[in-house]
Amino acid sequence: MNILQIIAQRFIVLPIDRFLFMVTIVYSFVFSQIITAPWQLIITRYVADKLFEKEYDYLQPSFMGVSKIVFGISFVVAIAFYATVPLPLYYKYLAGSLFLVLTLMWIVMVYLGATKSYGAIANAFLFGGIASAL
């Protein structure tokens, strides 16, 4: 967040635009966590049980199912929120996309964490941070 704020100070001239940029990012992170938190608890227990029982065939369908549910909820929330906000259409689209990607990222991180793929998690955050800065 600090790196993005430094970059925003350099490239976004108007203070109100910088504020909008930072608020969009913070709110996207916060509300994506609020939406996915209950699902994370359920998924973690389910995935741990399936891994313990060595029933690996259930993991991909559960991932796809939960991803669709969370995406659907997040999509409705994003549409409901951004439909009432007086912003340019392109900004609404980009902010909504950020929100949707973040909600799905939290779900992916639960599955990767449960499978102890810590290298993949570290790489995802590293490359995601670099991509965000660029």
Side-chain angles (χ1 to χ4, degrees), residues 109 112 117-129:
M109 292 303 148
L112 289 175
S117 300
Y118 302 121
I121 293 171
N123 285 336
F125 278 105
L126 175 68
F127 293 125

Side-chain angles (χ1 to χ4, degrees), residues 1 24-34 102 105-106:
M1 289 301 295
T24 301
I25 292 172
V26 169
Y27 272 63
S28 293
F29 268 88
V30 168
F31 285 102
S32 68
Q33 274 289 355
I34 289 171
L102 284 172
M105 183 190 72
W106 301 129

